[in-house]
Amino acid sequence: MVGVKVERLLINYKTLEDFKRFQAYGTQELSMLEDLQNEIVEDDSESPFYGIYYGENLVARMSLYKRSAKFDHYFNPPQDYLVLFKLEVLPDFRGRGYGKLLVDYAKESQLPIKTNPMIRPDANEFWKKMGFEMASYNIERDFGENPFIWMPEGVKEAIQPPAASSQQPKTKKTKKEDK
Amino acid sequence: MVGVKVERLLINYKTLEDFKRFQAYGTQELSMLEDLQNEIVEDDSESPFYGIYYGENLVARMSLYKRSAKFDHYFNPPQDYLVLFKLEVLPDFRGRGYGKLLVDYAKESQLPIKTNPMIRPDANEFWKKMGFEMASYNIERDFGENPFIWMPEGVKEAIQPPAASSQQPKTKKTKKEDK
């Protein structure tokens, strides 16, 4: 794709305004805006976001965060890995391979990747096409997430302890449960 | 609300069929179905889900999971707390207070609660009405989440270490970043 490239996004008022067009705009973006307003971060600081511009317009983005091996509960052996989140292409720019371009960029690091697809009927299909697989669900680790993982050669999924895959949470017992 | 009550849901084929009507149906539900089919869990085991039936139909649900103090990064002092997720009322049954009924049920434990609102324009408003507040965002803890917390009397939000609120992730440097 000529002229289309992935860039690391800078935190400034234009970027934060651009972010408002994405569905996953939330607490993270609000916090970035506040940090900028309070001069906790400088204008044009590097952000954890990467994106694709079409002319002046940000039309796709994702966030990448590198976690250290000591927090790894997804891969075997435990190792540094990337958490990829808020991957999103604006509706008018879908079907052009921009999502794949972002995912390929993340894969270049050759670190395993964990993501949590947004709830969209075709999300699972997309991640499978990208070479990701559905991780075994573990309530204590994943809560409401739908973890998908990508593993470079030689990396396997972490083995889940049998107890962790149980459906029995240690939730409260209250008087309402005497049915 | 006469006749409307919150029940702990049992894992069986009917419940899992009911779950398909909820938007947040995902890896967790698929994993429960698989566990049931493989007889890893017994029919009618208790689930981490609580719900409201309208006649025979499940019309609202949430999942609750109690986390131990040693994993608490949201409250001060660190303590056992509940993670509330997948709170959802089916569209035809909204505006009847069913969501509040579920949240009130969770609050009865008097444990602090952490949730991650689904991305919906009115979600933040709802949680504020429920007495929750937006937690300070911490990328390493929250990634793509929009954490909201509820604190019973005497509990405060955890103090964030200054480094943790930084927008600078330790992401990879690649050749594409030489802009």
Side-chain angles (χ1 to χ4, degrees), chain A residues 61-167:
Chain A
R61 66 164 195 177
M62 70 173 168
S63 191
L64 273 186
Y65 192 84
K66 185 173 166 182
R67 287 210 97 184
S68 110
K70 68 176 172 179
F71 298 115
D72 178 12
H73 301 290
Y74 289 96
F75 304 103
N76 178 19
Q79 57 201 284
D80 291 359
Y81 70 103
L82 293 178
V83 184
L84 190 169
F85 53 103
K86 298 196 177 176
L87 176 78
E88 191 174 341
V89 180
L90 292 183
D92 291 350
F93 294 85
R94 290 182 193 157
R96 302 186 185 193
Y98 290 1
K100 182 175 188 308
L101 212 59
L102 287 166
V103 176
D104 285 345
Y105 183 88
K107 284 178 177 174
E108 275 180 24
S109 68
Q110 284 298 307
L111 293 174
I113 304 171
K114 181 250 156 179
T115 193
N116 171 37
M118 289 177 67
I119 300 151
R120 279 230 322 268
D122 52 351
N124 289 10
E125 262 337 289
F126 171 80
W127 288 103
K128 283 176 191 164
K129 262 200 287 189
M130 295 299 112
F132 283 61
E133 48 190 81
M134 199 184 273
S136 308
Y137 180 80
N138 173 339
I139 191 170
E140 186 147 67
R141 182 190 66 184
D142 302 317
F143 302 108
E145 294 204 353
N146 304 301
F148 272 68
I149 52 178
W150 176 77
M151 292 160 286
E153 220 168 311
V155 179
K156 292 192 174 117
E157 186 178 359
I159 298 141
Q160 298 282 331
S165 73
S166 158
Q167 298 296 347

Side-chain angles (χ1 to χ4, degrees), chain A residues 17-95:
Chain A
E17 199 53 42
D18 287 345
F19 279 178
K20 288 187 184 159
R21 295 213 302 261
F22 292 81
Q23 239 192 316
Y25 186 92
T27 307
Q28 182 181 20
E29 289 82 356
L30 288 169
S31 138
M32 285 169 70
L33 183 59
E34 218 171 76
D35 285 354
L36 190 65
Q37 284 167 337
N38 296 334
E39 301 181 5
I40 293 168
V41 297
E42 277 176 58
D43 201 37
D44 290 336
S45 313
E46 288 193 328
S47 83
F49 284 96
Y50 297 80
I52 294 171
Y53 285 94
Y54 186 85
E56 292 293 298
N57 298 313
L58 183 69
V59 299
R61 66 164 195 177
M62 70 173 168
S63 191
L64 273 186
Y65 192 84
K66 185 173 166 182
R67 287 210 97 184
S68 110
K70 68 176 172 179
F71 298 115
D72 178 12
H73 301 290
Y74 289 96
F75 304 103
N76 178 19
Q79 57 201 284
D80 291 359
Y81 70 103
L82 293 178
V83 184
L84 190 169
F85 53 103
K86 298 196 177 176
L87 176 78
E88 191 174 341
V89 180
L90 292 183
D92 291 350
F93 294 85
R94 290 182 193 157

Side-chain angles (χ1 to χ4, degrees), chain A residues 5-11 23-32 35 40-41 45-50 63-68 71 81-83 85-86 101 104-109 111 118-119 124 134-137 139-148 165-177 179, chain B residues 5-11 23-33 35 40-41 45-50 63-68 71 81-83 85-86 101 105-109 111 118-119 124 134-137 139-148 165-177 179:
Chain A
K5 68 177 200 302
V6 175
E7 303 179 37
R8 184 160 195 174
L9 305 182
L10 300 177
I11 303 180
Q23 239 192 316
Y25 186 92
T27 307
Q28 182 181 20
E29 289 82 356
L30 288 169
S31 138
M32 285 169 70
D35 285 354
I40 293 168
V41 297
S45 313
E46 288 193 328
S47 83
F49 284 96
Y50 297 80
S63 191
L64 273 186
Y65 192 84
K66 185 173 166 182
R67 287 210 97 184
S68 110
F71 298 115
Y81 70 103
L82 293 178
V83 184
F85 53 103
K86 298 196 177 176
L101 212 59
D104 285 345
Y105 183 88
K107 284 178 177 174
E108 275 180 24
S109 68
L111 293 174
M118 289 177 67
I119 300 151
N124 289 10
M134 199 184 273
S136 308
Y137 180 80
I139 191 170
E140 186 147 67
R141 182 190 66 184
D142 302 317
F143 302 108
E145 294 204 353
N146 304 301
F148 272 68
S165 73
S166 158
Q167 298 296 347
Q168 306 303 327
K170 295 169 225 109
T171 34
K172 72 208 167 74
K173 301 273 173 201
T174 78
K175 58 187 189 304
K176 287 195 175 170
E177 285 181 38
K179 61 196 241 7
Chain B
K5 69 177 197 304
V6 175
E7 301 179 38
R8 184 160 195 175
L9 305 183
L10 300 177
I11 303 179
Q23 241 193 314
Y25 186 92
T27 308
Q28 182 181 20
E29 289 81 357
L30 289 169
S31 138
M32 287 170 68
L33 183 59
D35 286 355
I40 291 168
V41 298
S45 313
E46 286 193 331
S47 82
F49 284 96
Y50 297 79
S63 191
L64 274 185
Y65 192 84
K66 186 173 164 180
R67 287 211 98 183
S68 109
F71 298 115
Y81 70 104
L82 293 178
V83 183
F85 53 104
K86 297 194 178 178
L101 213 60
Y105 183 90
K107 285 178 177 173
E108 273 179 26
S109 69
L111 293 174
M118 290 175 65
I119 300 151
N124 290 9
M134 198 182 277
S136 307
Y137 180 80
I139 191 172
E140 185 146 69
R141 180 189 67 184
D142 302 316
F143 301 107
E145 294 205 350
N146 304 302
F148 272 69
S165 72
S166 159
Q167 299 294 347
Q168 305 303 326
K170 297 169 225 108
T171 36
K172 72 206 168 73
K173 301 274 174 200
T174 78
K175 58 187 188 304
K176 287 194 177 171
E177 286 181 41
K179 59 194 239 15

Side-chain angles (χ1 to χ4, degrees), chain B residues 130-165:
Chain B
M130 294 299 112
F132 282 61
E133 49 191 79
M134 198 182 277
S136 307
Y137 180 80
N138 173 341
I139 191 172
E140 185 146 69
R141 180 189 67 184
D142 302 316
F143 301 107
E145 294 205 350
N146 304 302
F148 272 69
I149 52 178
W150 176 79
M151 292 160 286
E153 218 167 313
V155 179
K156 291 195 175 114
E157 186 178 0
I159 298 141
Q160 300 281 331
S165 72

